[in-house]
Amino acid sequence: MTVTHNGKQYTAKKLNDNEWQLTSVSNPRDKMTLNRWQMHIAGLLKQVEVKV
């Protein structure tokens, strides 16, 4: 699934119940791993949990 943060598109992949890996659509080598709390703070948790 694709999410938008700070004007950039990321593909979100759930690693386990607590972690998500975000991969930049424009630069696939740009990856970051966020836990559930970090996703909540960034406003991305509601984007991914509605779609799951």
Side-chain angles (χ1 to χ4, degrees):
M1 84 197 57
T2 304
V3 295
T4 304
H5 182 60
N6 289 340
K8 294 183 182 178
Q9 295 258 334
Y10 295 95
T11 303
K13 177 182 167 187
K14 191 169 188 174
L15 300 177
N16 57 45
D17 286 342
N18 191 40
E19 291 182 326
W20 292 83
Q21 183 178 51
L22 298 180
T23 305
S24 174
V25 172
S26 61
N27 183 7
R29 297 175 100 186
D30 181 17
K31 296 181 182 181
M32 65 182 104
T33 303
L34 301 176
N35 66 27
R36 189 173 167 81
W37 180 248
Q38 291 168 325
M39 292 284 282
H40 172 69
I41 295 297
L44 299 173
L45 191 60
K46 49 188 166 178
Q47 290 184 49
V48 295
E49 285 197 334
V50 170
K51 297 178 182 179
V52 171

